[in-house]
Amino acid sequence: MRLLYFAWLRERLGRAEEEIALPSSVRTVGELMTWLGKREVPGGALFGESGVIRAAVNQELVGPETRLREGDEVAFFPPMTGG
Amino acid sequence: MRLLYFAWLRERLGRAEEEIALPSSVRTVGELMTWLGKREVPGGALFGESGVIRAAVNQELVGPETRLREGDEVAFFPPMTGG
Amino acid sequence: MRERVVVRIESGDFDPGAEFRLLCERTAGAGGIGSFVGIVRGEAGGRAITAMTLEHYPAMTERAVRAIAEEAQRRWGLLGATVVHRVGRLVPGEQIVLVMAAAAHREPALAATSFLIDWLKTKAPFWKKEHFADGTAAWVAAQAADEAAAARWR
Amino acid sequence: MRERVVVRIESGDFDPGAEFRLLCERTAGAGGIGSFVGIVRGEAGGRAITAMTLEHYPAMTERAVRAIAEEAQRRWGLLGATVVHRVGRLVPGEQIVLVMAAAAHREPALAATSFLIDWLKTKAPFWKKEHFADGTAAWVAAQAADEAAAARWR
């Protein structure tokens, strides 16, 4: 599964994207964030701070209950600040 | 005293302006409207319909209690519809 | 000193792009510019319109419009505002009025834009007459909705 | 069929006057066009800014902005809307974003203009980084006021 990161989340994680093999226990966006938050990587703890990180699956904003499927493009990022 | 009329008030009165000699009993805009409303001219009764006709004295919107002075330019017109 | 408020009453057409550039040039530090352009519609109440005549009170018009623009400038701390209002005969598709407000942030720029057009509709000495396709004409009646919109800003 | 909604995400500058003319041409019957242009300010929180970087999510951005513009078109029955949003590095005084909404009357045109900019600020995948005169840089924090402004339209 392809993960993308943007803005300060990208900087704190030190990467713009990565490929992961999804553990079979992870079925939703929220579960994926919990799993990512437990990894021992710089910035990983940011996923544990509830409500800060937003997610999009296949370029659509989604909530934590959204189910993940093989081949999804999942993006994580801070609250948007456009306009 | 110079009086000006605009829009449908001008059309109904059949004139865009006139000079009048102000009766000594008329001291305010409201009293002037009452006096004009009693004249036997086409459209004169429009001044008697309370709240429809607006007034400006020396190019400033005013209320009926505004005092009149010799040499004022007094304009009467319907509610504005600009923009 | 650059003029904060620019007001013009004229019979000719105006160029919104040119007015935008001029407003930008005199408002360094602006974070947002809101604007509204009013256009003559081809129908009113289901009847086809061939033209509209805008009557005004020449000695008073510019002063009244300037007072409205300066009120907006004060209320929202605008860095600049432009109001152009046409008078005379206009046909459907022609531009009638332009208002623009430049401010440090978007909220005052957009609030002032709404205020300017709401007050121009009800507090500046303009009167519209619509000329219909059947040869008749009628003065536009003041709208209760326009009075209510203007009253929001009291 | 003319496009109701025009959306562009680009690094280059845009011309508000040209966008206005194009919107007019594809919206016959409009009685009013509202617009807002956002401009990079030279300071934030009292600190001088030398530049701003707008990051975005290229595969998602245009789709998300188009969805916002189409939502505005549906809610207010717009005759047309244009949104142009820049990305990349911008310096103070440069234009960031343009939104325009054409409708039969002024109320929907101005309401849709406010809606478009409020939702762009909070629901489209853009992130601003400010570069300060002292060489440091910081990501712009999401503002509670922007969330509240966007929530007005729920």
Side-chain angles (χ1 to χ4, degrees):
Chain A
M1 174 169 281
R2 190 173 179 223
L3 303 186
L4 304 178
Y5 307 114
F6 292 96
W8 54 252
L9 184 63
R10 170 178 57 70
E11 290 182 350
R12 297 279 290 278
L13 292 169
R15 67 192 85 172
E17 58 180 280
E18 65 181 315
E19 287 284 336
I20 61 161
L22 199 65
S24 60
S25 64
V26 171
R27 284 161 307 176
T28 68
V29 168
E31 288 167 4
L32 176 57
M33 290 177 73
T34 301
W35 182 81
L36 290 168
K38 289 177 181 157
R39 293 197 303 177
E40 302 271 333
V41 297
L46 290 166
F47 288 104
E49 295 175 19
S50 82
V52 176
I53 305 298
R54 312 290 168 95
V57 173
N58 299 328
Q59 302 92 42
E60 295 270 2
L61 284 176
V62 297
E65 73 295 339
T66 302
R67 296 295 289 251
L68 293 170
R69 286 179 304 189
E70 195 62 48
D72 282 345
E73 175 176 289
V74 182
F76 293 106
F77 39 78
M80 290 88 105
T81 56
Chain B
M1 173 167 280
R2 190 174 179 221
L3 305 185
L4 303 178
Y5 308 114
F6 292 96
W8 53 253
L9 184 62
R10 171 178 57 70
E11 291 184 348
R12 296 279 291 278
L13 291 170
R15 67 192 85 174
E17 58 179 279
E18 63 181 315
E19 286 286 337
I20 62 161
L22 199 65
S24 59
S25 63
V26 171
R27 284 161 307 177
T28 68
V29 168
E31 288 167 4
L32 176 56
M33 290 177 72
T34 302
W35 183 79
L36 290 168
K38 288 176 181 159
R39 292 196 304 176
E40 301 271 333
V41 298
L46 291 165
F47 287 103
E49 295 175 20
S50 83
V52 176
I53 305 298
R54 311 291 167 94
V57 173
N58 300 327
Q59 301 91 43
E60 294 271 3
L61 284 176
V62 296
E65 73 294 341
T66 301
R67 295 295 288 251
L68 293 171
R69 286 179 305 190
E70 194 63 46
D72 283 344
E73 176 177 289
V74 183
F76 293 106
F77 40 78
M80 290 88 105
T81 56
Chain C
M1 165 95 193
R2 288 161 169 177
E3 276 192 294
R4 286 259 162 107
V5 165
V6 167
V7 166
R8 294 204 316 276
I9 313 299
E10 54 197 25
S11 57
D13 199 7
F14 54 81
D15 175 352
E19 299 301 334
F20 181 85
R21 283 191 299 276
L22 289 168
L23 180 58
C24 278
E25 282 169 16
R26 60 180 222 272
T27 56
I33 295 183
S35 75
F36 178 80
V37 173
I39 297 164
V40 180
R41 298 185 67 226
E43 64 93 24
R47 298 177 70 189
I49 286 175
T50 54
M52 173 174 279
T53 310
L54 268 143
E55 180 169 327
H56 74 129
Y57 177 0
M60 175 177 171
T61 316
E62 184 174 332
R63 178 195 302 199
V65 173
R66 181 170 296 278
I68 291 169
E70 286 173 350
E71 177 72 20
Q73 195 278 319
R74 271 192 303 276
R75 287 196 190 196
W76 285 281
L78 300 181
L79 298 165
T82 299
V83 179
V84 183
H85 204 303
R86 294 177 68 189
V87 293
R89 184 183 167 88
L90 302 172
V91 299
E94 279 196 272
Q95 302 175 139
I96 309 174
V97 61
L98 169 143
V99 306
M100 285 187 177
H105 300 283
R106 81 181 185 289
E107 301 88 344
L110 285 171
T113 299
S114 289
F115 168 90
L116 284 167
I117 192 68
D118 285 346
W119 275 35
L120 278 179
K121 282 197 177 265
T122 56
K123 293 177 193 290
F126 296 103
W127 300 273
K128 286 185 186 134
K129 190 176 198 173
E130 291 169 335
H131 303 267
F132 299 105
D134 62 9
T136 62
W139 291 95
V140 171
Q143 301 288 318
D146 287 336
E147 287 290 339
R152 285 189 296 160
W153 306 108
R154 277 212 193 107
Chain D
M1 166 92 194
R2 290 161 170 177
E3 276 192 294
R4 284 261 162 106
V5 164
V6 167
V7 166
R8 295 205 315 275
I9 313 300
E10 54 197 25
S11 56
D13 199 8
F14 54 80
D15 175 351
E19 299 301 335
F20 181 87
R21 283 191 299 276
L22 289 168
L23 180 58
C24 278
E25 283 169 15
R26 59 180 223 272
T27 56
I33 295 182
S35 75
F36 178 80
V37 173
I39 298 164
V40 180
R41 297 185 67 224
E43 64 93 25
R47 299 177 70 189
I49 288 176
T50 54
M52 173 174 279
T53 311
L54 268 142
E55 179 169 328
H56 72 129
Y57 179 179
M60 176 177 171
T61 315
E62 184 175 331
R63 180 196 300 199
V65 174
R66 182 172 295 278
I68 291 169
E70 287 173 349
E71 177 70 20
Q73 194 278 319
R74 272 192 302 276
R75 286 196 191 197
W76 285 281
L78 299 181
L79 298 165
T82 299
V83 178
V84 183
H85 204 303
R86 293 178 68 187
V87 293
R89 183 182 168 87
L90 303 172
V91 299
E94 279 196 273
Q95 301 177 140
I96 309 173
V97 60
L98 169 142
V99 305
M100 285 186 178
H105 300 284
R106 83 181 184 290
E107 302 88 345
L110 286 170
T113 299
S114 290
F115 167 90
L116 284 167
I117 192 69
D118 286 346
W119 275 35
L120 278 179
K121 282 198 177 265
T122 56
K123 294 176 192 287
F126 297 103
W127 300 273
K128 287 186 185 134
K129 189 176 199 173
E130 291 169 336
H131 304 267
F132 299 105
D134 63 8
T136 62
W139 291 95
V140 172
Q143 301 288 318
D146 287 337
E147 287 290 340
R152 286 188 296 161
W153 306 109
R154 274 210 195 107

